[in-house]
Amino acid sequence: MFDRLWDDLAPVGRAGSTGGYRRYAWTPADATLREWFAGEAAARGLDLVTDRAGNQWAWWGNPDASGPGVVVGSHLDSVPDGGAFDGPLGVVSGLLTIDALRAAGLTPSRPVGVVNFGDEEGARFGVACAGSRMVTGSLPRDRALGLRDGDGTSMAEAMAAGGHDTAHVGRDEETLRRIGCFVELHVEQGRGLIDLGRPVAVGTGIWPHGRWRMEFAGEANHAGTTRLEDRHDPMLDYAAAVLQARELAGKYGIVATCGKVVVEPNGINAIPSRVRGWLDARGADADAVGALVAELSQGREVHEESWTPATPFDAALSDRCAAVLDDAPRLASGAGHDAGVLAQAGVATAMLFVRNPTGISHSPAEFAERDDCLRGVQALTAVVTDLVAGQTA
Ligand SMILES: [Zn+2]
């Protein structure tokens, strides 16, 4: 069954030129993925509920009558030219966990849900984990609906075009009430498990992380006729900032990335009039991230776009996962996840990571061995079995 589900997803939103995925929120590729999820839910006789933000929940059992439930799952969207595993591995594993529980003849003591969070990567509208943030209210309704993609389309327009009614977007108490705990399985996005020689780890939490926008103003002029000494070239200021960010990251023992830049007018033969660049900075130590941003901001226009403090996962739930999984190793995550957003909102949350043999992620080269994916399914099944059996009267 793993192979069938995986093969179904393989062609959706795949770019022929790179082999990477372009599965952005509220696009035709996203609609296909949502249809696929709804179809898998229907094939299993699960009740599909779409929440106020458009996230999909497939329930085995009624979370309103006998909840709250145990929720597993992840997301199906991708970064630009992303890999096949980031997100889908958790959703597929969630569906297979239900299959495994049923095959074992288990009658859960409380409902089990599989979630497909929308817009986790924020590739289109710039806010990561937008689906879970809308549900918890940490991304307020008006800000969410007013976000615009690179073509100027607002999230409200995109949602409507995707067939989602935006009238009720906002914090969703009904949905939150149904979640007793959330266990998100995810491909590891670093090299931790390679070094440990283990296929599956339990997450400890998510590093503090943030995004900043840097503005550099200059003067547009001709690339051939403007003497070097007469130029006001903001690209040079941007380049200096990128190099300094890298240097400061090394100094403070964290990571910093300048992966997005917008140049105006963006012509080969024109000195730019303006450069807008984004910084992503994170690390185990929030103070170190703050120090980097403070130094980089000296003499520059830097605006904070988002900041998420360190997010520990639920200790008791994580301990329980590790105990069920033969004392699985613990790993902190440098990547953000919906699990982190739910944890911030007070939901008992844990994560499982599946070994990535190269550590590469957010790239077409992202990979996990089939055997490790199956071990991940087994691990998630063991955890959910423990969680739903422990409640039996
Ligand atoms: Zn992910």
Side-chain angles (χ1 to χ4, degrees), residues 90-160:
V91 174
V92 165
S93 298
L95 293 166
L96 294 176
T97 290
I98 291 203
D99 294 348
L101 296 178
R102 285 174 166 168
L106 195 128
T107 306
S109 60
R110 50 179 170 156
V112 181
V114 184
V115 63
N116 168 29
F117 278 114
D119 203 4
E120 193 274 343
E121 300 288 5
R124 185 171 177 191
F125 296 102
V127 176
C129 300
S132 55
R133 285 185 204 273
M134 280 187 271
V135 167
T136 62
S138 65
L139 175 57
R141 169 190 167 82
D142 291 346
R143 180 158 175 241
L145 293 179
L147 291 169
R148 290 189 183 275
D149 68 9
D151 296 328
T153 304
S154 70
M155 189 185 283
E157 290 162 350
M159 275 184 169

Side-chain angles (χ1 to χ4, degrees), residues 335-373:
H337 297 286
D338 294 308
V341 173
L342 293 191
Q344 292 271 349
V347 176
T349 299
M351 283 193 79
L352 304 182
F353 293 109
V354 171
R355 178 165 52 194
N356 175 333
T358 61
I360 292 174
S361 185
H362 284 191
S363 150
E366 180 182 274
F367 187 64
E369 297 286 355
R370 183 174 180 277
D371 281 354
D372 283 352
C373 293

Side-chain angles (χ1 to χ4, degrees), residues 223-247:
T225 59
T226 316
R227 291 183 303 188
L228 291 179
E229 56 268 37
D230 291 338
R231 297 178 181 214
H232 300 287
D233 185 347
M235 190 65 92
L236 299 179
D237 301 329
Y238 172 67
V242 174
L243 293 174
Q244 194 188 352
R246 169 64 185 242
E247 191 188 310

Side-chain angles (χ1 to χ4, degrees), residues 18 31 52 58 74 115 120 170 175 225 248 265 295 314 320 335:
T18 62
R52 289 165 172 246
S74 190
V115 63
E120 193 274 343
T175 292
T225 59
L248 291 170
E295 262 189 68
D314 187 86
R320 199 164 165 181

Side-chain angles (χ1 to χ4, degrees), residues 167-244:
H168 304 293
V169 169
R171 185 176 157 95
D172 189 336
E173 299 289 351
E174 201 177 18
T175 292
L176 292 172
R177 206 169 44 232
R178 294 175 181 140
I179 314 169
C181 64
F182 177 48
V183 183
E184 181 172 4
L185 178 146
H186 204 279
V187 67
E188 197 202 342
Q189 295 173 283
R191 303 175 52 87
L193 280 168
I194 304 172
D195 297 340
L196 292 165
R198 296 282 291 266
V200 176
V202 176
T204 54
I206 294 177
W207 281 358
H209 57 280
R211 295 178 175 190
W212 291 264
R213 189 180 79 251
M214 303 180 285
E215 301 278 359
F216 304 90
E219 185 180 43
N221 213 329
H222 195 288
T225 59
T226 316
R227 291 183 303 188
L228 291 179
E229 56 268 37
D230 291 338
R231 297 178 181 214
H232 300 287
D233 185 347
M235 190 65 92
L236 299 179
D237 301 329
Y238 172 67
V242 174
L243 293 174
Q244 194 188 352

